[in-house]
Amino acid sequence: MSSGRVHINGSSVRHSTLVVRGLVLGLALSATLAQSSDFGTTGLIDTPTARMKADGTLTFTLGYDQRHKQFGLTYQALPWLEMTYRYTGFEDYFYWDRNYEVKALLWEEDDYSPLPQVAVGIRDAVGTGVFGAEYLVASKRFGQWDASLGVGWGRLAGKGIATNPLTYVADRFEVRSTQTDGFGEGGELATGDFFSGPEVGLFGGVSYAFSSLPLTAMVEYNPDQYTRDVLRGAPEPSSAWSAGVTWQARDNVDLALSIQHGDEIALRW
């Protein structure tokens, strides 16, 4: 009776090792891409990306900058649905605001296709409208780089760069009530304001995940004018650009430091 033998040559071992390393690097990059923003949602610094965390992930974030302090609880309710509850305090005046955000994945990124990952979201879906904004955002990975570009309504429209395309669909999209009637009392869906306003703006940024260090560097463009903050005494943002770095201190624990709007320091845990 002859015994069976399995022969594994050196090239096969090397190939298998490279495949395993590639998978590990891919998983690490995917985890890095799904980092939390200061708003709690998956994003860069203050702006969202199209990235999603693993299904069922529950994330707690604490952010502090020279304008706000925010407590966020984000739940990846479904592979395509992210939900965030935030409790925000304002530094320049005594006021706390509860706001909710939802983000839905429209389609995933495919490494073999030039198409990016795309998501749509509503910030402050149920609340006073203080943070009211809606967005459509696309993200695409290039090795250790990840780039995002979005179209924003409400606060993410900033001063606006183009006419809101939905105004050609219906007149109701021309006016945003928070711009004319002030902010609501909270606790109700502000469906009449969703994706409304005379203009839309652009936001986005890039991140780079270092291969040899548990660090991710970020740069973002955020057109938010912080109008309500300014009306209450806060300074106007000196720049729409922000930069920062996230340190993955240990599994499931990230610390972030950023310079926002050119001259404001922010921390996030």
Side-chain angles (χ1 to χ4, degrees):
M1 179 181 295
S2 62
S3 60
R5 296 181 180 179
V6 177
H7 298 277
I8 303 177
N9 58 38
S11 61
S12 297
V13 172
R14 286 193 296 271
H15 177 72
S16 299
T17 302
L18 289 174
V19 169
V20 171
R21 287 179 179 175
L23 288 173
V24 171
L25 178 60
L27 290 172
L29 284 174
S30 297
T32 302
L33 298 181
Q35 66 179 3
S36 297
S37 67
D38 289 4
F39 273 71
T41 52
T42 305
L44 292 169
I45 300 172
D46 272 352
T47 60
T49 65
R51 301 303 176 191
M52 295 281 177
K53 293 184 173 64
D55 187 21
T57 301
L58 183 66
T59 307
F60 174 75
T61 54
L62 171 61
Y64 177 85
D65 59 43
Q66 292 172 251
R67 295 176 183 271
H68 318 111
K69 45 182 172 286
Q70 302 197 87
F71 303 90
L73 190 65
T74 299
Y75 180 51
Q76 190 70 39
L78 296 166
W80 55 270
L81 181 64
E82 180 182 81
M83 306 173 69
T84 300
Y85 166 78
R86 279 185 299 270
Y87 193 50
T88 307
F90 296 80
E91 289 302 303
D92 292 315
Y93 50 95
F94 184 79
Y95 181 78
W96 285 87
D97 181 76
R98 293 186 298 271
N99 51 98
Y100 304 82
E101 182 168 347
V102 292
K103 182 171 71 172
L105 182 66
L106 298 183
W107 62 79
E108 288 187 278
E109 178 181 19
D110 186 341
D111 291 336
Y112 303 100
S113 169
L115 293 177
Q117 184 157 307
V118 179
V120 61
I122 299 174
R123 181 173 284 180
D124 208 348
V126 181
T128 60
V130 169
F131 289 97
E134 300 79 46
Y135 53 88
L136 181 68
V137 61
S139 298
K140 184 64 179 177
R141 187 177 74 189
F142 302 93
Q144 289 161 254
W145 292 90
D146 192 44
S148 294
L149 181 64
V151 177
W153 288 257
R155 288 184 59 157
L156 285 174
K159 294 181 179 179
I161 63 164
T163 300
N164 181 359
L166 295 178
T167 60
Y168 299 108
V169 178
D171 292 341
R172 76 172 187 84
F173 290 108
E174 295 180 358
V175 179
R176 196 174 184 93
S177 65
T178 52
Q179 295 175 330
T180 58
D181 303 328
F183 299 94
E185 297 297 327
E188 296 181 359
L189 280 169
T191 53
D193 269 354
F194 293 166
F195 301 96
S196 66
E199 294 184 306
V200 295
L202 289 179
F203 67 89
V206 295
S207 66
Y208 179 81
F210 292 88
S211 58
S212 58
L213 296 170
L215 298 176
T216 300
M218 305 164 288
V219 176
E220 75 169 17
Y221 177 83
N222 177 11
D224 192 345
Q225 298 297 296
Y226 295 87
T227 303
R228 193 173 196 271
D229 299 42
V230 173
L231 290 174
R232 292 297 191 101
E236 293 184 4
S238 59
S239 172
W241 291 95
S242 300
V245 61
T246 298
W247 171 42
Q248 188 174 2
R250 53 185 300 180
D251 288 346
N252 303 317
V253 178
D254 291 344
L255 301 176
L257 171 67
S258 58
I259 304 297
Q260 300 184 11
H261 316 297
D263 54 9
E264 300 172 17
I265 297 175
L267 297 170
R268 175 184 53 77
W269 293 266

